[in-house]
């Protein structure tokens, strides 16, 4: 593409090569480094394209080779300027357009924000506008270091900011912190790790305390999994006392949870029956001119606005935006779900719930679900076996006091 633009700026011609010895002319062109583009055989000899400076050199070689070189077509900027050399208004228009493009390149016309998920583009652009940074401002007034500093100070969840200018566009790349901002303090209160639900232990790793269960064992809610009371013995294996710690570790188990989901068997779909152009707007920088009906959409209608921004290159956005508002009129159609749609809806609901379980650290080991449908409702019920962490901290219970033995 870039090569074609350069060729158009320099000008090129399509020539017909003939005469007594056109082959010798081709050899001379190759020897002198002339490039013949699109060379092909023709009834009168050969045809090809060459740049305008090369054509002048080719005429000298043609006389030496006793060949003829005739111009069949001309293309490019030099011929266009020569054809319109007497049209002063045309030349003035070209100079004016180039001047406008140059003047547009001195201002900022587009702000692109990348990497943000917690904060929206509109909120960041609004904040920058309050700080005097927006479309239409001079490029030499933009300080990327100051933009990075104010964004980090305003948004605490943004840990890294990079602002750079490319053409007439300001690109802001951010990285947000999704982890913990503070390290939680460990509670050193003596406690046990107990099961918060019934399940089957699949694995246990103890970091503090004494394990009370093993893999494959069935446990019930409230049962101690890791004890925070460690017995201490002397050399004769006599219990001296207990050391109380905060029990901790990783216990995984399979637990059974009930699952119930229902929804209507009927689907509502909106079918567009007509569309009309209701408004046209033109935005130039921060100024906007619009024409059309300002009244909002009525019942069974909605409006959609599309924005068209011309650009010369990816980073050279023109400060003009065309807005087209179309009004759509629709009708609501109600129908009963097919068997395939019922199965798909049930699978999608289970998949969405599975994502929530995975966020809590569980995975679905197996399911036992039944799907049924009556005249109006689709119902899925049953049980799901989840595998994941098990165990919550519970303060240690006081030891029972030992009663003294009766004297003989």
């Amino acid at each position: 593409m870039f090569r074609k633009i350069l060729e158009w700026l320099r000008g090129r011609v399509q020539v017909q090569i003939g005469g007594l010895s056109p082959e010798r002319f081709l050899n001379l062109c190759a020897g002198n480094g002339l490039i013949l583009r699109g060379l092909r055989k023709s009834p009168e000899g050969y045809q090809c394209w060459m740049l305008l400076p090369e054509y002048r050199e080719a005429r000298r070689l043609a006389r030496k080779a006793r060949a003829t070189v005739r111009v069949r077509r001309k293309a490019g900027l030099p011929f266009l300027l020569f054809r319109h050399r007497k049209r002063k208004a045309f030349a003035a228009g070209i100079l004016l357009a180039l001047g406008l493009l140059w003047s547009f390149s001195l201002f900022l016309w587009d702000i692109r924000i990348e990497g943000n998920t917690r904060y929206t583009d509109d909120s960041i652009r609004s904040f920058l506008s309050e700080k005097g940074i927006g479309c239409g401002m001079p490029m030499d007034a933009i300080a990327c270091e100051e933009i990075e500093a104010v964004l980090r100070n305003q948004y605490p969840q943004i840990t890294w900011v990079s602002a750079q200018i490319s053409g007439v566009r300001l690109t802001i790349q951010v990285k947000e912190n999704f982890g913990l901002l503070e390290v939680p303090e460990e509670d050193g209160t003596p406690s046990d790790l107990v099961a918060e639900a019934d399940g089957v232990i699949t694995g246990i790793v103890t970091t503090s305390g004494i394990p009370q269960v093993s893999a494959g064992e069935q446990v019930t809610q409230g049962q101690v999994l890791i004890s925070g009371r460690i017995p201490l013995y002397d050399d004769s294996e006599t219990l001296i006392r207990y050391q109380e710690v905060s029990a901790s570790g990783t216990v995984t188990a399979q637990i059974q949870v009930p699952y119930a989901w229902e929804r209507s068997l009927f689907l509502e779909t909106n079918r567009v029956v007509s569309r009309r152009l209701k408004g046209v707007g033109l935005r130039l920088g921060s100024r906007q001119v619009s024409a059309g009906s300002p009244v909002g959409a009525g019942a069974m209608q909605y409006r959609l606005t599309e924005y068209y921004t011309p650009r010369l290159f990816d980073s050279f956005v023109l400060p003009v935006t065309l807005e087209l508002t179309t009004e759509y009129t629709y009708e609501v159609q109600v129908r009963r779900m097919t068997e395939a749609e019922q199965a798909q809806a049930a699978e999608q609901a289970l998949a969405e719930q599975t994502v929530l379980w995975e966020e809590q650290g569980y995975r679905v080991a197996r399911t036992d679900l039944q799907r049924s449908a009556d005249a109006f409702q689709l119902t899925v019920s049953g049980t799901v076996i989840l595998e994941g962490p098990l165990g919550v901290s519970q303060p240690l219970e006081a030891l029972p006091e030992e009663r003294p033995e009766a004297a003989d």
Side-chain angles (χ1 to χ4, degrees):
M1 182 63 182
F2 184 71
R3 181 179 62 84
K4 291 183 179 180
I5 294 176
L6 290 180
E7 292 180 357
W8 184 85
L9 293 176
R10 299 179 64 183
R12 61 175 188 165
V13 293
Q14 185 185 42
V15 297
Q16 176 69 48
I17 304 172
L20 297 178
S21 181
E23 288 79 8
R24 184 186 177 191
F25 169 74
L26 298 179
N27 292 333
L28 290 175
C29 289
N32 287 269
L34 299 184
I35 301 177
L36 306 181
R37 297 166 177 82
L39 181 64
R40 61 185 179 88
K41 185 73 173 177
S42 67
E44 300 177 1
Y46 299 91
Q47 287 185 5
C48 68
W49 284 89
M50 60 178 60
L51 296 179
L52 185 58
E54 296 175 347
Y55 170 71
R56 299 189 179 100
E57 176 65 17
R59 292 177 60 186
R60 183 185 65 83
L61 298 178
R63 289 193 296 269
K64 182 176 181 180
R66 296 183 180 181
T68 58
V69 178
R70 294 185 296 107
V71 177
R72 295 175 57 89
R73 292 176 57 188
K74 302 176 182 178
L77 181 61
F79 302 109
L80 179 63
L81 296 177
F82 181 79
R83 190 181 308 119
H84 300 284
R85 63 187 181 279
K86 296 183 179 181
R87 299 183 179 180
K88 298 180 180 180
F90 179 77
I94 293 178
L95 295 178
L96 179 61
L98 294 176
L100 288 175
L101 290 177
W102 176 78
S103 62
F104 286 159
S105 66
L106 301 179
F107 298 89
L108 175 68
W109 298 117
D110 187 29
I111 299 178
R112 174 182 291 181
I113 304 172
E114 300 175 350
N116 56 310
T117 56
R118 185 186 301 270
Y119 305 106
T120 63
D121 293 356
D122 292 339
S123 64
I124 296 179
R125 288 195 179 99
S126 298
F127 171 73
L128 293 177
S129 179
E130 295 175 359
K131 297 297 182 180
I133 303 171
C135 296
M137 67 177 301
M139 299 291 289
D140 55 4
I142 301 176
C144 294
E145 294 81 4
E146 296 181 2
I147 295 175
E148 296 170 359
V150 297
L151 286 177
R152 284 194 298 266
N153 295 333
Q154 176 66 20
Y155 301 102
Q157 297 296 335
I158 294 180
T159 58
W160 179 83
V161 184
S162 173
Q164 57 183 357
I165 297 174
S166 177
V168 297
R169 171 182 293 156
L170 172 64
T171 302
I172 301 176
Q173 297 178 334
V174 301
K175 288 185 178 180
E176 300 175 351
N177 182 18
F178 295 98
L180 297 175
L181 297 180
E182 298 181 357
V183 178
E185 297 182 359
E186 295 184 0
D187 186 6
T189 304
S191 61
D192 290 330
L193 194 67
V194 301
E196 71 268 32
D198 298 345
V200 178
I201 303 298
T202 57
I204 180 170
V205 177
T206 305
T207 57
S208 177
I210 302 296
Q212 303 297 311
V213 295
S214 58
E217 185 175 341
Q218 177 79 37
V219 297
T220 58
Q221 183 178 3
Q223 181 177 344
V224 177
L225 305 177
I226 301 177
S227 175
R229 186 173 283 114
I230 303 176
L232 300 179
Y233 300 91
D234 58 10
D235 294 340
S236 61
E237 297 185 358
T238 302
L239 177 64
I240 302 176
R241 62 183 176 88
Y242 289 97
Q243 180 182 359
E244 296 181 346
V245 298
S246 176
S248 62
T250 302
V251 182
T252 58
Q254 289 187 353
I255 60 176
Q256 180 176 292
V257 296
Y259 179 82
W261 173 83
E262 64 178 15
R263 61 153 295 169
S264 173
L265 268 176
F266 295 92
L267 292 176
E268 292 186 359
T269 57
N270 299 332
R271 188 179 71 88
V272 176
V273 295
S274 65
R275 65 185 68 186
R276 289 187 300 172
L277 183 65
K278 299 296 290 185
V280 178
L282 188 64
R283 185 188 300 271
L284 180 61
S286 59
R287 301 178 181 271
Q288 182 179 9
V289 178
S290 59
S293 174
V295 182
M300 311 297 286
Q301 291 179 339
Y302 67 92
R303 291 186 176 183
L304 179 65
T305 302
E306 298 177 286
Y307 301 89
Y308 301 93
T309 302
R311 61 186 64 203
L312 297 180
F313 306 100
D314 181 64
S315 59
F316 198 118
V317 181
L318 298 181
V320 179
T321 301
L322 177 63
E323 302 178 0
L324 300 178
T325 301
T326 306
E327 182 181 83
Y328 296 85
T329 303
Y330 65 92
E331 64 179 10
V332 179
Q333 296 180 337
V334 181
R335 64 177 179 85
R336 185 182 174 90
M337 298 173 63
T338 63
E339 286 291 335
E341 290 173 337
Q342 294 178 25
Q344 182 178 2
E347 291 176 1
Q348 182 177 356
L350 180 60
E352 293 174 357
Q353 181 60 45
T354 301
V355 172
L356 299 179
W357 284 327
E358 290 176 350
E359 292 177 354
Q360 299 172 4
Y362 295 95
R363 71 171 187 89
V364 177
R366 62 181 182 272
T367 60
D368 183 12
L369 304 176
Q370 300 293 329
R371 177 165 54 91
S372 61
D374 55 17
F376 302 99
Q377 292 287 334
L378 171 64
T379 304
V380 178
S381 60
T383 58
V384 178
I385 304 300
L386 300 178
E387 183 175 356
L390 184 70
V392 293
S393 294
Q394 177 178 286
L396 291 176
E397 296 181 356
L399 289 174
E401 295 184 0
E402 296 183 358
R403 296 182 178 179
E405 297 181 359
D408 294 341

